[in-house]
Amino acid sequence: MLILSRKQNESIIIGDEIEISVIDIKGDQVKLGINAPKEIKVYRFEVYESIQRENKAAAMAGTVLPKLEELILGPKEEKEE
Amino acid sequence: MRVNTKAYGQIDVDERHRIHFPFGILGFEKLKEYLLLDALQQPFYWLQSLEVPEIAFVLINPNIFRPDYSIEVPEIELEEIGIDKEEDLLHFAIVTIPEDQAKMTANLQGPIIINKKQRLGRQSISINPKWKVRHLILEELSALRNKAC
């Protein structure tokens, strides 16, 4: 992995079109600004990772699907007592 | 066409149920061919991989329990599957069903969007931070019903 040190207001350029700037540094938080063509997708890594993880959990499920009506009416009947 | 499905074994389905996912689904990037089927159990759908029969996702229309949900994704993600007008767009949420089915959740942060005309699909990521990976379907459905009463 290439490791570069940057100060506030400095930036790096990736390829010809992607620029990442350090906008602000406060305590343990760094604010980054990203300039990239619109076809380059930029996400927080944890969002990407959590969707991947959720997809894997979803794909593991069995083939017996829940009966929504029963699941809803069940608790409702109890409330009426 | 005859296909192997996880839920129903071998079945015959119309070619028109076939959806191409040029980018796959997150975590399953290599699988690009799916079948969109109505599940026998309403209101669910199956997104069945044509390449690996054991891989299938349960889908739901999120507006059933969240009428306020709409697709808010980067424009380019719609363009990449050829969507330029809203009537071509179908959207679903992937459902995760744990052992206790009452705790099933829907992923509203990573919706499945489909161009129904060109039969192209993808998973997108919502830019609205309100939508999370795990929404408890039953809880939100009963909140909705209570509001309606």
Side-chain angles (χ1 to χ4, degrees), chain A residues 48-65:
Chain A
Y48 196 82
E49 199 188 25
S50 74
I51 291 178
Q52 262 187 353
R53 209 181 315 119
E54 196 58 27
N55 285 345
K56 286 183 180 157
M60 294 293 286
T63 56
V64 180
L65 299 186

Side-chain angles (χ1 to χ4, degrees), chain A residues 38 41 43 47-48 50-52 54-56 58-59 61-69 71-72 76, chain B residues 6 25-27 29 39 41 43-44 57 76-77 79-80 94 96 101 104 122-123 133-134 138 141 145:
Chain A
K38 63 175 185 171
K41 281 151 212 150
Y43 299 113
V47 169
Y48 196 82
S50 74
I51 291 178
Q52 262 187 353
E54 196 58 27
N55 285 345
K56 286 183 180 157
T63 56
V64 180
L65 299 186
K67 294 190 170 80
L68 262 194
E69 279 305 308
L71 284 172
I72 296 161
K76 261 203 169 170
Chain B
K6 178 172 161 177
I25 286 176
L26 294 177
E29 286 80 1
Q41 194 71 56
F44 301 104
F57 299 94
I76 181 78
E77 304 210 344
E79 285 169 20
E80 279 172 347
I94 297 182
T96 304
Q101 295 194 330
M104 66 183 159
R122 70 172 306 144
Q123 184 167 37
V133 165
R134 291 186 166 195
L138 289 185
L141 199 54
R145 288 196 171 193

Side-chain angles (χ1 to χ4, degrees), chain B residues 88-101:
Chain B
D88 295 341
L89 172 73
L90 286 178
H91 69 279
F92 300 96
I94 297 182
V95 181
T96 304
I97 305 171
E99 227 163 285
D100 178 0
Q101 295 194 330

Side-chain angles (χ1 to χ4, degrees), chain B residues 5-148:
Chain B
T5 64
K6 178 172 161 177
Y8 309 123
Q10 200 173 65
I11 55 168
D12 279 313
V13 288
D14 193 292
E15 185 77 31
R16 280 174 297 183
H17 288 270
R18 191 176 177 144
I19 314 279
H20 178 59
F21 280 66
F23 314 100
I25 286 176
L26 294 177
F28 299 88
E29 286 80 1
K30 286 187 181 149
L31 305 181
K32 312 223 189 245
E33 303 301 325
Y34 286 88
L35 213 55
L36 180 64
L37 302 166
D38 286 302
L40 296 176
Q41 194 71 56
Q42 294 258 352
F44 301 104
Y45 303 84
W46 282 105
L47 188 66
Q48 169 68 53
S49 162
L50 282 172
E51 289 143 310
V52 183
E54 295 75 31
I55 304 282
F57 299 94
V58 178
L59 305 183
I60 193 169
N61 174 350
N63 294 121
I64 287 176
F65 61 97
R66 287 305 296 242
D68 57 333
Y69 185 74
S70 64
I71 292 295
E72 295 161 85
V73 301
E75 197 71 23
I76 181 78
E77 304 210 344
L78 297 171
E79 285 169 20
E80 279 172 347
I81 56 166
I83 292 173
D84 49 16
K85 47 186 182 301
E86 202 157 341
E87 64 250 42
D88 295 341
L89 172 73
L90 286 178
H91 69 279
F92 300 96
I94 297 182
V95 181
T96 304
I97 305 171
E99 227 163 285
D100 178 0
Q101 295 194 330
K103 294 200 170 73
M104 66 183 159
T105 55
N107 180 353
L108 299 187
Q109 195 172 22
I112 296 290
I113 56 176
I114 290 174
N115 176 337
K116 61 179 174 185
K117 223 190 232 158
Q118 298 181 37
R119 281 180 258 130
L120 288 174
R122 70 172 306 144
Q123 184 167 37
S124 214
I125 299 182
S126 177
I127 51 175
N128 186 340
K130 176 173 157 187
W131 307 118
K132 309 295 182 199
V133 165
R134 291 186 166 195
H135 286 256
L136 284 161
I137 295 176
L138 289 185
E139 213 166 83
E140 302 202 4
L141 199 54
S142 54
L144 181 67
R145 288 196 171 193
N146 290 339
K147 222 191 275 169

